[in-house]
Each structure stands twice: as structure tokens, then as C-alpha cells.
Amino acid sequence: MKILKSHSHSPMSGLAALLALSVAAGCSGKLDSAAAGTGTNGATGPGATPMGTGGTSTGPGTIPGAGGTSTIPVTMNPPDPTIAGTTPIDVNRVPIHRLNQAEYDNTMKDLLGVTSTPANSFIADETAYGFDNIAEAFNMTDVRFEQYYNAADMLVDTVFADPTLTAKIMTCTPAGAADTACIGQIISSFGMRAWRRPITAAEVTRLTQVATDAIALGTDATGGVKQVVKTMLASLPFLYRVEMDATPNSPTAHALDPYELASRLSYLTWSSMPDDMLFGLAQNGTLVNNDVLSAQVDRMMADPKANSFVLNFAGQWLGMRKLLTHAVDAGAYPAWTQAQATQMAAALSSEGLAYFNQFLAGPAGMNEFLTTVPNAADPSRVGFMGLRGFLTLTSFPYRTAPTLRGKWVLENLLCQSIPAPPANVPKLDDPAAPTTMVQSENVRVRLEAHRQNPMCNGCHSTLDPIGMGLENYDGVGEYRTTYANGDAVDPSGQLPAQWNNAMFSSLPELATILSSDSKMTDCASKELLTYALGRGVVPSDDGYLAQIRKGWSDAGVLGMKSLMKQIVLNDTFRFRRGEGMVTQ
């Protein structure tokens, strides 16, 4: 395994502690920047070297454990290769996946029973493709590791100060350093959950030595176990989700083992570790069966812990998490006083997530995401684009921003690629003008003048019509018919050629046109696949994405849980390959 080089010293000699209990050879993930990505601006995607397997093959679901190793054949279901045209079909691979802040806190809560959230104070997670769970974007530094080490130290002290929490770890009481049988039992039981897979005999031996060394230095047997727990929670197998390639250089796809599959599923639905039922299904091998996987999606999405999926997937895709820190100028919108801003932003964010929840289990489908009326008392405010939270998020602090609103809809909801503006584009607003003056002006008139500049017209002619269709709603989403200067708001417009130059005169008409084809559902499937895999969707995924979309449509319910099932049952979720290169 290639490791990150340390250039400074943390409380445990840099990253040495993290790697001391590293997994054995065969892990093809890397901790260096070449594999982990270079952060938000440097993520390159895992599909830089397209490859494929083609055909129908089988891979083993390997179940390691004290009772021996059993292998259950898992049959691949590749899509029609002609769907992807000349692009190779490739199940691809994900680098080893560091737990992000939400996953870390949720995992500690489920593993230890603690309620604190130390990750809230960690260095902010790197993001790519719009999400903070993209493995290739993550790195590990001494400073970041020191946070993990200190958090583990604090959390374990908390647990061992509470007899009830301690008893969940201390399944027996060691008589002393010589009682390696009891110590080994504790390590195997706790370690299986902490490392989300069975612990090998060699690992038990090494960890037992950690306990006996601590006892030899003067602590009691419980203190020795406490030191083992701290060590495990600051180790690579805990901090990272590691998926093994038995032959790291092989390009041939192979099934994830059942424990790896259990982790993919639990971190997708709960942003946390597998529970006892998932571990049991992994141990007996039945989790690899399609009907069992499908049933587990139903069970897990019905659990209150599935709120983490809504918060972390929808919260990022739909921007509701960013809304919590969105600035609003109280001079332009007096209701947004400093005392009320946090509460109002939280309420709008909750409204947006509650709206998404309607499309999670059905019967409402994502084809209706832009046209469903959230409140029967206000039929003019339709779909996600009519929500106050969305309208606030896509505004400037002091006025509406039709161009920004149009760009956000096209990029986030319809997965359109919008080029960056050319350099030295003139500002629409006069920096010297008071925000109250700018907020009162007719934005349509100013944008029409702006588009007279040829360097601005190309993009603005695509972006502005959608944004102008939302101009009946001000910068905090309140309905209006006139600007503060008395001019009437005109929400009419004409969409570009990709919608046949269709005309509209209101938000309901605009939403209907934007929903007239599959762009919304196609985008939803691409975004969820990105989040589920923890990597970018690349051209070699095209055939699988088409397969997922067809299965979703054939299921007859275009809710997001139905889409999740199609992804979980797809080869891209259940299989991976090594790093070898092949041609198709």
C-alpha cells in the first residue's frame, strides 16, 4: 500500500499511528494525493483511464471470519454495450474512503453510544461534484489526523467513565495481562463493529499486545482495553472505508465482499456504520442476494436514521445546507434582522428538505419535482422553484439574481454544463450604489441592457429567461407584483432551442415546460449515483446509468427510494475492479 509521507510530528509521530494497524497487502486504495485527489479544485475523477470488462461474469462475495471463509457467487448484469456507444463499460473503482464529518459523528454515536459531535470542529471536508463524500477529493494531513486522535481520546474517556457504555465494550473482565483469551474476545467483538468487518487472528494478536503493554506500564486490565479501543478508533480501518482487491492490478471486475457491501449501503442510507442486522446478513452471506438488498433499502429508509440521507444528499444537491449560512441584507429585507436570520434560514432549509421527502418514497415522482404545488392555498407557487428557501439561496443578499437562479436550475436540477463567464465582464450593479437602491430597480430592464454586450449575450440568453420567470418572488422568496420603484414585474419569457423556444408567462408555465422531457429525472439519477458511489460519474458509466434509468422507469414509481434500489442492485454499486488497464 502506498502511503502519505509525513513531514511533521503529531502526538503519535505523525501518521505512523494511523498506519500502524493498516490493512494487509491487496488494498489498492492509496492515501497519497494522487489517489485521494487534490481537494475541491483538483478532483479529476476515477475514470481518467477508461476500461471495461464486458460480458457476463461472476465474482465472489467473500466472508472472512473465525468460522472459515465461504464464497457465494454473485452474477454480474452488465448493460447492453451499445448503449454507451464507443465508450467502454466499466464498473470502475473508488479509492479508500475517509469518513467525512457527518459519517464520523454518526458512526461514533452508533458504535459507542455517545451523543457529542466532535467532528463539527474538524477541518472542513473537501468537496467535489457537489458533495462532501467523494473519496478522491479527501486527503490526510498531520493536522487532520491530530483531530481524529484527540477526538478518539476524548470519546473513549467519556465511554469508560460511564459504566453502561463501558459494559457494551467489556463483554468480559480480564483477570490481568495474562488473560489474553478475554482480551482477545473483547477485541474481536468490538473490532468487528469498529472496523466493519471480522478481525483477523494476526490483528487480534497485535491489538492484544497493545493491551498487555499498557498493563505492564501500570494500568489495570480495563485500562489496557481502553488503550486498545483508542488505538482502533485512530487507525486506518476505522477512519477509512477500505475495499479490497485481491489482485490489485487486475482490470477484471469482482464483487464486493458482503461486509464492504454492507458499508456501502449503510453509509448511503444512514451516513453511518452497518447495524447488527446488516452485519448478520453479511456474515451469513445473504446480503448479496437482490431480494435481500432491496428489502434492506426499504427497512433502512424507514428508520429515523435515514434522515441523514435527506440532510446529506438532498441538503447538498438542493443547497439546503448552504442556506443555513446564506447572507441576507436586513437593509433590503427588514424582516431578516440579525436576531431572526438564523431561525428564518433554518425554517426555510427545513421546508426544502420536507418538500424533498415527498418524493422519497412516492407516490410523487421526480418528474413532478418542479410542478407539484407545495401549498394548496397558493397554487401559483409551484414546485421546488417556488420554495422560499430556493429563491433565497439563489439571490444576492440585497436583490434577486435572475441569472444566478437560471444557472442554478440548469446546473443543479437539469445537470446542464454552463461555461464560466469571460474575464473582465462588466458588473451589473454599481458598487457605489446603496443596496436599497439596487434592490428597488427593475432587474429585467437592467439585464436587457447588459445583454446588448455581445460577450454577455451568449450565456445570458440561456440563463436569464428561467430566472426572469421567477421574478414574482423577491430575494427572500416573498411574492410581489411590482418592484419597489413601482414598475410591474414581468415573469414572461422564451426558453432556448433545447425547449423548442417555448414561451411562458408564469412560474407554473415555466415549470411545466422544464418538466416536459426527462432532463429532471436524468439529473436526479446522475446526482444520486454520484453520491451513492462516492465518486464522479464518468463516460464509462453511461451504459450503467442508462440501465438504472430504464429500471427506474419500468418500476413505475419515480420516487427517489425506487431509484436508490436500482442503484444498489446495479453492478456499479456491487462490484469494483483493480487498477489494471485494458482495452475493449
Side-chain angles (χ1 to χ4, degrees):
M1 173 184 290
K2 190 175 180 181
I3 64 174
L4 178 69
K5 294 179 180 178
S6 174
H7 301 286
S8 60
H9 299 282
S10 73
M12 294 187 70
S13 302
L15 298 175
L18 173 65
L19 300 169
L21 292 168
S22 177
V23 291
C27 165
S28 62
K30 294 181 176 65
L31 290 181
D32 62 352
S33 59
T38 55
T40 303
N41 297 321
T44 58
T49 55
M51 349 169 35
T53 54
T56 301
S57 61
T58 61
T62 304
I63 311 165
T69 300
S70 60
T71 301
I72 296 177
V74 183
T75 302
M76 294 189 74
N77 180 32
D80 181 347
T82 62
I83 294 175
T86 59
T87 303
I89 294 172
D90 179 14
V91 298
N92 227 298
R93 57 187 301 278
V94 182
I96 59 174
H97 191 300
R98 198 191 76 228
L99 301 184
N100 65 21
Q101 291 183 7
E103 292 168 341
Y104 182 90
D105 280 341
N106 287 347
T107 300
M108 285 297 195
K109 178 181 178 181
D110 290 340
L111 177 65
L112 301 177
V114 295
T115 58
S116 58
T117 54
N120 286 346
S121 63
F122 287 1
I123 298 170
D125 290 321
E126 304 91 339
T127 62
Y129 310 109
F131 297 108
D132 62 6
N133 73 331
I134 305 299
E136 69 212 56
F138 291 157
N139 61 23
M140 178 63 78
T141 64
D142 282 346
V143 173
R144 189 181 290 279
F145 174 70
E146 185 173 354
Q147 293 178 329
Y148 288 124
Y149 175 76
N150 290 338
D153 192 53
M154 179 270 293
L155 290 169
V156 174
D157 282 348
T158 299
V159 168
F160 277 79
D162 183 327
T164 301
L165 297 181
T166 304
K168 295 180 179 180
I169 296 174
M170 300 290 292
T171 53
C172 60
T173 303
D179 192 357
T180 56
C182 176
I183 294 173
Q185 175 185 319
I186 294 171
I187 290 170
S188 295
S189 176
F190 177 77
M192 206 282 293
R193 299 181 69 242
W195 287 0
R196 302 175 287 276
R197 59 163 174 79
I199 306 299
T200 67
E203 289 165 341
V204 172
T205 298
R206 292 202 302 271
L207 288 163
T208 299
Q209 189 64 49
V210 171
T212 56
D213 287 348
I215 295 170
L217 291 174
T219 188
D220 60 12
T222 299
V225 172
K226 181 179 176 181
Q227 189 58 46
V228 170
V229 173
K230 288 183 179 182
T231 301
M232 296 191 79
L233 297 183
S235 68
L236 185 150
F238 174 76
L239 294 174
Y240 284 82
R241 290 161 49 196
V242 181
E243 295 171 351
M244 304 292 286
D245 296 316
T247 309
N249 293 324
S250 172
T252 302
H254 64 87
L256 299 176
D257 82 39
Y259 290 97
E260 295 166 350
L261 184 58
S263 282
R264 278 204 182 189
L265 182 58
S266 66
Y267 283 97
L268 165 60
T269 54
W270 292 342
S271 296
S272 188
M273 61 180 285
D275 64 356
D276 289 343
M277 179 170 285
L278 273 184
F279 279 133
L281 294 172
Q283 194 278 330
N284 65 30
T286 58
L287 184 61
V288 301
N289 296 335
N290 285 359
D291 57 343
V292 174
L293 266 177
S294 180
Q296 286 306 300
V297 172
D298 286 331
R299 178 185 73 87
M300 299 174 75
M301 292 306 294
D303 191 287
K305 289 195 291 186
N307 184 60
S308 290
F309 169 75
V310 176
L311 180 62
N312 296 319
F313 170 68
Q316 293 183 90
W317 176 36
L318 303 177
M320 294 299 100
R321 283 184 13 183
K322 286 185 178 179
L323 184 60
L324 297 175
T325 56
H326 177 75
V328 174
D329 188 335
Y333 304 102
W336 280 71
T337 64
Q338 185 174 358
Q340 296 292 323
T342 300
Q343 181 179 353
M344 295 179 75
L348 296 185
S349 177
S350 295
E351 178 190 36
L353 296 177
Y355 182 76
F356 172 81
N357 256 325
Q358 299 180 55
F359 300 87
L360 194 53
M366 291 303 293
N367 56 323
E368 305 170 285
F369 194 69
L370 301 180
T371 57
T372 296
V373 178
N375 185 347
D378 187 4
S380 65
R381 190 186 289 270
V382 303
F384 182 77
M385 294 188 297
L387 295 181
R388 290 176 175 83
F390 161 75
L391 294 160
T392 301
L393 176 70
T394 54
S395 295
F396 294 146
Y398 55 90
R399 71 162 172 85
T400 58
T403 302
L404 178 59
R405 284 175 172 176
K407 182 175 185 290
W408 203 98
V409 168
L410 289 172
E411 288 186 332
N412 291 63
L413 299 182
L414 304 176
C415 290
Q416 306 283 300
S417 296
I418 307 298
N424 303 318
V425 173
K427 300 292 185 182
L428 186 64
D429 296 340
D430 179 358
T435 58
T436 51
M437 179 186 299
V438 174
Q439 194 268 345
S440 71
E441 294 177 352
N442 188 327
V443 179
R444 177 182 287 273
V445 172
R446 299 174 65 208
L447 281 173
E448 287 175 350
H450 192 67
R451 287 198 298 273
Q452 297 304 309
N453 186 331
M455 67 187 299
C456 302
N457 184 65
C459 284
H460 280 270
S461 61
T462 299
L463 305 176
D464 291 355
I466 294 176
M468 289 307 306
L470 305 174
E471 268 295 281
N472 274 133
Y473 303 93
D474 69 14
V476 291
E478 294 299 323
Y479 187 80
R480 64 186 178 181
T481 57
T482 61
Y483 294 101
N485 67 357
D487 288 356
V489 173
D490 177 7
S492 65
Q494 183 176 19
L495 291 172
Q498 61 179 310
W499 284 285
N500 300 316
N501 302 307
M503 306 285 292
F504 63 89
S505 60
S506 64
L507 169 57
E509 291 181 7
L510 171 63
T512 298
I513 296 168
L514 294 180
S515 300
S516 62
D517 55 25
S518 64
K519 289 185 179 67
M520 179 70 229
T521 53
D522 285 352
C523 188
S525 60
K526 181 179 180 180
E527 293 294 318
L528 185 53
L529 183 60
T530 299
Y531 182 81
L533 296 178
R535 66 168 175 81
V537 174
V538 293
S540 58
D541 293 311
D542 287 350
Y544 291 105
L545 192 53
Q547 187 181 44
I548 288 167
R549 288 166 176 165
K550 184 178 186 304
W552 190 26
S553 177
D554 290 348
V557 178
L558 290 175
M560 292 299 287
K561 189 177 77 169
S562 177
L563 173 60
M564 183 186 290
K565 285 186 178 182
Q566 294 299 321
I567 290 173
V568 166
L569 297 177
N570 193 265
D571 288 351
T572 55
F573 192 85
R574 299 185 307 137
F575 287 77
R576 64 176 280 125
R577 58 152 169 86
E579 297 181 275
M581 296 181 63
V582 298
T583 57
Q584 181 168 292

